[in-house]
Structure formats: C-alpha cells, structure tokens
Amino acid sequence: QVQLVESGGGSVQAGGSLRLSCAVSGYSVNSNWMAWFRQAPGKEREGVGYIYTGGGRTDYADSVKGRFTISRDNAKNAVYLQMNSLEPEDTAMYYCAADLLRSDYDPLYFESWQYWGQGTQVTVSS
C-alpha cells in the first residue's frame, strides 16, 4: 500500500521560506517519478514541479522557477520542496504525488499521477 504524508506547511510572511516534506512508504523514491502540486480554493490543482530521481531531472512551473527546489533523500525515502521568496499567490494546499502513469504524460498535469498525499496548507501573508 502506497502512502504519502506531507508536512512542513504553515503561515509565513511574503518573502519568507518554507520547506515541505513528503514521507513515502510502499513506493521507492529512488529511480522514480515524484512531484509537487498545489490547489488554491476555487482553482484546479496545478503542477509546481517534478523530479525523476533516476537521472535527477527536475522541472518547475514558470510561476515558481528560481524560487522553489525539489530534492529527494533516498535513505529516508522522502522528497522535499524548498520554497523561497514566497508570495501571497503561493497560498494553497500543497500535495505530493508519486508514480507518473506513463512516461509520455505531462508531469505537471494532475491526472498524470497515480498516488497522492493528503496535503499540507501553506499560507503567505502580505
């Protein structure tokens, strides 16, 4: 049974930083696809970024490039989202996703992923 548990969310002022964690069980983050998504009230879930841990390949949504970084720890079987220079527009529930359904699917599209965590709330005040 695959379980993803996010943590690290909270409230921060604009310009601040947060580091989200995703603890994974039942699925190895080593040499696999992992991603972070977010969803604000009334909006569709949007891709923040993804990592293919086999080759270290990462990519990010334009809105977070240069500010957010995804990393993983194979020993802890976890992935992380380091968020810097946070803006009020980053306020959302953040979700971890695992297992890209097909390699030719768009990793930044939410329906491309098999497994999801329950989310952690990030609130950025101006």
Side-chain angles (χ1 to χ4, degrees), residues 4-71:
L4 289 73
V5 180
E6 302 94 334
S7 61
S11 296
V12 64
Q13 288 194 327
S17 298
L18 283 173
R19 186 188 190 220
L20 306 185
S21 299
C22 175
V24 183
S25 60
Y27 179 86
S28 175
V29 304
N30 189 21
S31 298
N32 272 312
W33 294 82
M34 299 290 300
W36 285 94
F37 284 75
R38 66 186 182 185
Q39 188 168 18
K43 294 189 176 181
E44 188 174 271
R45 191 169 296 191
E46 65 170 348
V48 173
Y50 65 88
I51 182 169
Y52 173 59
T53 59
R57 170 187 170 188
T58 58
D59 199 9
Y60 302 89
D62 288 342
S63 58
V64 306
K65 277 182 180 176
R67 301 188 298 122
F68 291 11
T69 303
I70 295 174
S71 62

Side-chain angles (χ1 to χ4, degrees), residues 81-121:
L81 180 65
Q82 178 66 44
M83 306 185 294
N84 299 326
S85 302
L86 282 161
E87 304 168 352
E89 293 74 22
D90 296 318
T91 295
M93 185 73 79
Y94 282 72
Y95 298 90
C96 177
D99 196 11
L100 189 67
L101 289 169
R102 281 177 46 168
S103 61
D104 59 343
Y105 281 3
D106 180 2
L108 292 179
Y109 183 53
F110 71 94
E111 290 192 1
S112 297
W113 295 86
Q114 175 80 1
Y115 302 109
W116 293 89
Q118 83 290 346
T120 186
Q121 178 67 37

